[in-house]
Amino acid sequence: MAGIFISFEGIDGAGKSTHIDRLVRVFEEQGRAVTLSREPGGTPLAERLRQIVLNEPMDAMTEALLVFAARRDHIGQVIAPALERGDVVLCDRFTDATFAYQGGGRGFDWTILAQLERWVQGTPLLQPDLTIWFDLPPAVAAQRLAGARIPDKFEAQPQEFFEQVASGYAKRCVGEPARFARIAADQLPEQVWVDVHHAVVTKGWLA
Ligand code: TYD
């Protein structure tokens, strides 16, 4: 059975987690082996880099280099072997987050990010087979995040930052419409789930 690689994206507060967990169960019920992971992170080294990226102040290029370093390790240690085995790989964020946060949010050079993407993800470029983008208006996300928990470096950013992040996601989506499924995340959770499930069923990966 061929491996399947699905990533999940959206601004902080978009509400990915419960849907990712539910999709794990649905794939497992259909007899598929699932590798659930996240970025930055997914390996001991990448998780250490995650702590640094999410907590230390640094310039946007340093941030970009660290998330791509984490990604390199994650692909080599976890994602590529899992796809080789025929697993379903569900990854909470991948490279679109770098374009959205470091490119859109922090204004770092998009063409350098594209260069790093080619170096780190190889030829042919390793990309998710499907990216589920939880598109949520930043004003709604801000309300959801307010007081929810102690914010990390990104969650503490103002709404304008997330407007830029959202434009970054929109730009990636326009560039690769076949890979993206845009889900309106400002609906009731059950309706969001119906849309997530539908996006996967449409690909022919679930009965
Ligand atoms: P997130 O995935 O939202 O996890 P949690 O739900 O535990 O907060 O947090 C990861 C943060 O890292 C998020 O704010 C986006 C940011 N990020 C980047 O800035 N660049 C990247 O390339 C990735 C993968 C994430």
Side-chain angles (χ1 to χ4, degrees):
M1 221 181 281
I4 299 170
F5 183 13
I6 307 177
S7 66
F8 302 84
E9 299 284 358
I11 60 174
D12 290 272
K16 301 172 267 113
S17 313
T18 53
H19 302 293
I20 298 173
D21 292 342
R22 201 159 164 184
L23 213 46
V24 172
R25 291 199 297 278
V26 170
F27 272 114
E28 285 178 347
E29 277 160 20
Q30 302 211 356
R32 295 292 303 241
V34 176
T35 292
L36 172 64
S37 200
R38 67 170 181 183
E39 289 211 347
T43 69
L45 172 61
E47 290 291 333
R48 286 169 73 184
L49 293 172
R50 177 190 178 93
Q51 287 312 316
I52 297 170
V53 170
L54 265 54
N55 296 298
E56 308 288 339
M58 64 187 74
D59 74 5
M61 186 193 285
T62 308
E63 232 168 69
L65 292 169
L66 288 177
V67 292
F68 270 116
R71 183 162 301 129
R72 178 75 187 172
D73 195 55
H74 189 211
I75 290 171
Q77 305 291 326
V78 174
I79 297 179
L83 291 173
E84 198 96 332
R85 287 195 302 269
D87 282 16
V88 177
V89 176
L90 302 182
C91 195
D92 188 346
R93 302 188 185 281
F94 196 62
T95 309
D96 299 305
T98 312
F99 282 86
Y101 281 78
Q102 281 64 51
R106 304 221 48 204
F108 186 66
D109 193 314
W110 200 271
T111 57
I112 297 177
L113 293 179
Q115 178 83 58
L116 290 168
E117 180 183 39
R118 283 193 296 276
W119 281 346
V120 168
Q121 287 157 242
T123 330
L125 197 72
L126 175 77
Q127 283 286 38
D129 299 299
L130 171 67
T131 295
I132 297 181
W133 171 32
F134 295 82
D135 188 16
L136 187 70
V140 179
Q143 281 170 1
R144 285 189 188 176
L145 284 179
R149 55 182 170 186
I150 299 164
D152 64 35
K153 195 176 85 182
F154 293 106
E155 289 164 348
Q157 293 294 316
Q159 194 177 313
E160 300 77 65
F161 176 84
F162 290 106
E163 308 274 0
Q164 296 305 316
V165 174
S167 329
Y169 277 127
K171 193 168 158 187
R172 287 286 278 184
C173 181
V174 167
E176 281 175 87
R179 175 164 67 83
F180 271 85
R182 181 190 158 276
I183 308 284
D186 57 346
Q187 309 178 85
L188 291 174
E190 201 49 39
Q191 186 57 48
V192 174
W193 166 251
V194 167
D195 291 355
V196 169
H197 187 255
H198 176 76
V200 179
V201 169
T202 301
K203 289 284 183 182
W205 298 329
L206 286 174

